[in-house]
Amino acid sequence: MARDSRYDVLFEPVKIGPVTARNRFYQAPHCNGMGRTFPSSMAAMRGVKAEGGWAVVSTEQIDIHPSSDFTPATECRLWSDRDIPYLARMCDAVHEHGALASAELVHNGKWAGNLYSREVPLFPSHMPVPTHNFPLQARAMNKADIRAYRRWHLDAVKRAKKAGFDIICCYAAHNLSLAGMFMLPRYNFRSDEYGGSLENRVRLFREIIEDTKEAVGDTMGVVVRFAVDELRGADGIEAHKEGREIIEMLAELPDLWDVNVAEWHNDSMTSRFADEGYQEHFIEFVKQVTTKPVVAVGRYTTPDRMVSLVNRGVVDMIGAARPSIADPFLPKKIEEGRIEDIRECIGCNICVAWDNMIAPMRCTQNPTKSEEWRRGWHPERIAPRAVDGMLLVVGAGPAGLEAALAAGRRGHDVILADAAAELGGRVTRESRLPGLAAWARVRDYRTYQISQMANVEVYKSSLLDADQILEFGAAHVAIATGARWRRDGYGRQHQFPIAGTDGDNLLTPDDIMAGTSPRGSVLVYDDDHYYMGSVIAEQLVADGCQVTLVTPDARVASWTDYSLEQHRIQTRLLELGVDIVTSHELQEITDDSAAVSCVYSGKSRLLAVSSVVMVTSRLPDDSLYQELAATPDRLRAAGIETFKPIGDCHGPATIAAAVYEGHRFARELGEPVDEIPFRREITELAPGFELP
Ligand code: ADP
Ligand code: SF4
């Protein structure tokens, strides 16, 4: 299909100093939980993005010295020449597909707890290390430290060049970089030429950029990544004050400005709290104060929006981390006029969460993410089917939809049946809850793709029973019938049913999503700790209820720390007037009250509530699977060779896990699968081993 000419502007080359980006698509640096620990997985993940058309493919943070040791995080590292080979592997993978490789060099200052290196952390002034909330302090750097820091950065620049990078990114964003920390009055209490006036506070960053330009500026592009606003008002950098002044001071120094907002939880806001393009009004001034090209992120997935940004002179390149994770082929699809094929990021931050849990990142939309090398899964290619026979997928939630799509792409004839009148399962239900509308993209991408395939037939409003499944004539059957929220309160806190959960005033999120609307005072009991308790509370407030949220944890939705949402969620609930009771467990429910007790003291109190919504854990909806699995003879007689549960029916988890399970089912259908179904990279032992 030919590309619409209005998108042509996105495919113009952009000069970044001495190197040229082939188009305007810039994969901004992003963590991925692989880095130096799973280096080949990291390299292949980046290479696939280059293949997908990104002109610049950046690393995650590369820490440059043992005094910036971010252990246990698994970022990249460039402390010595021994760190070069795995980064060279990434550069090779990126170059193989004609993109430029960019290295983001970082010293984490006070954030680096140096748990492995045991160096004393470094900072502009004395300061407690916030990373682990334990009694460790960073010390104020003296002049010799500053000289050393400049040398470490320069050494890392030279090593990055040796590794094959085309671009160096000098970093002062997210409040994660030492040079950036020097700029902030709340951190910098120095009286020398590196403290006091703005010019002094910016001096170190300027020196880092100048050192880099001088060393490699004739052969490598030098990018400056800078957060123009910290979203903390006068306590921090503001775009219309020092943010602008800093850019004015350094305006022509870099070859490209990569601008955003700090900290990471502001830069990577979820779709629950921010729409596409939410950073635009913070960064729109930048092009007025520099002649150098500008790149910015904002979870851009819509090509028209991208064109508008360029045509209005807001940016020269479209930055993307999450959209490039959800669809590494986003640029290629625009280039080839295949807009409908874009797998749009839903802004859920599962990718971020897995990195924060120090595990290879997962993506709700892209099940191949982090599986590129270890399983050989390509986001756009899949092997032709290895076995014959029709596939029946029962249930069209995220697991069933993805299984049907991926198996269809392998060339299977597929029938996808769902009891509901609408496809999408939990995604359809949950996307109607406050703030989760973008999650429907998980359904919409897949239903559109399936609608284009002649070999996948969809049956809505088709509740199947065991006999019907046996009569279908399918050789392969995937049961993707999902899960239901428990009513009895069983969860992390309670391993016995809570008293009173058999009453009529006990509801679950499934009831609320099905349209049940309680009246009066409602208690939401959240022992799930992810999003559901808080979105149900929001929904109930919108329905006119007085809501009390009780959780055994010390904070609401504590797991959402990982997805960078916790603070916003608790703030929103408080703003909505939700009464929040933390560190309390639910003991008993009666018709008009609920007894809750402190998890520390055991002291109980009675809350006057007319209903309780139980958000604790889920049970698989697997009766159909269990019934048929119990009679293998019947399956055999019906000609069914493959019979598997997938998704929430197999093990209730995230939507990302359901999509992955559906994809895995299709990939493995008819294939030999080893007990360890992926390649592993095992650290090479050091030569020589002596006891001290
Ligand atoms: P997952 O997250 O694993 O994909 P969901 O709960 O989102 O699971 O989706 C399960 C889907 O399965 C729902 O849309 C539901 O209507 C459907 N379903 C459940 N039981 C049956 C059945 N017996 N026949 C057909 N569809 C079913
Ligand atoms: Fe987007 Fe969610 Fe995928 Fe991250 S995990 S890239 S936020 S869809």
Side-chain angles (χ1 to χ4, degrees), residues 396-397 418-425 428-429 431-432 443 447 460-461:
D418 198 290
E422 237 184 312
L423 301 179
T428 295
R429 294 193 295 274
S431 63
R432 295 193 184 110
R443 173 199 62 207
T447 49
K460 296 179 194 172
S461 306

Side-chain angles (χ1 to χ4, degrees), residues 370-384:
S370 307
E371 305 292 351
E372 298 89 344
W373 176 79
R374 74 170 193 172
R375 276 191 159 101
W377 288 3
H378 189 278
E380 299 298 311
R381 289 192 292 273
I382 193 162

Side-chain angles (χ1 to χ4, degrees), residues 555-587:
R555 294 173 312 140
V556 172
S558 57
W559 189 82
T560 62
D561 265 338
Y562 293 117
S563 59
L564 310 177
E565 296 173 292
Q566 196 283 328
H567 187 78
R568 285 198 166 81
I569 291 175
Q570 191 142 352
T571 305
R572 177 170 287 179
L573 293 192
L574 289 169
E575 283 168 358
L576 288 173
V578 173
D579 189 15
I580 295 174
V581 180
T582 56
S583 305
H584 277 70
E585 62 176 41
L586 186 57
Q587 280 184 309

Side-chain angles (χ1 to χ4, degrees), residues 394-399 417-420 425-426 429 462-464 480-483 624 647-648 658:
V394 185
D418 198 290
R426 66 180 287 194
R429 294 193 295 274
S462 303
L463 177 72
L464 300 186
T481 46
L624 193 55
D648 290 329

Side-chain angles (χ1 to χ4, degrees), residues 393-401 417-430 459 462-465 469 479-484 618 621 624 646-651 653-655 657-659:
V393 181
V394 185
L401 281 170
D418 198 290
E422 237 184 312
L423 301 179
R426 66 180 287 194
V427 164
T428 295
R429 294 193 295 274
E430 294 180 20
Y459 292 96
S462 303
L463 177 72
L464 300 186
D465 62 22
I469 289 170
I479 304 290
T481 46
R484 293 277 139 184
R618 294 184 297 154
D621 229 341
L624 193 55
I646 58 172
D648 290 329
C649 159
H650 190 201
T654 56
I655 296 169
V659 171

Side-chain angles (χ1 to χ4, degrees), residues 17 26 37 89 133 160 181 187 336 391 394 487 513 554 591 631 647 677:
Y26 183 101
T37 313
R89 179 168 285 189
N133 267 351
M181 294 166 197
Y187 293 153
E336 293 169 0
L391 165 66
V394 185
R487 305 178 67 79
M513 289 188 279
D591 285 347
T631 53

Side-chain angles (χ1 to χ4, degrees), residues 583-587 595-605:
S583 305
H584 277 70
E585 62 176 41
L586 186 57
Q587 280 184 309
V596 298
S597 64
C598 171
V599 295
Y600 299 108
S601 68
K603 198 171 159 196
S604 49
R605 58 177 154 136

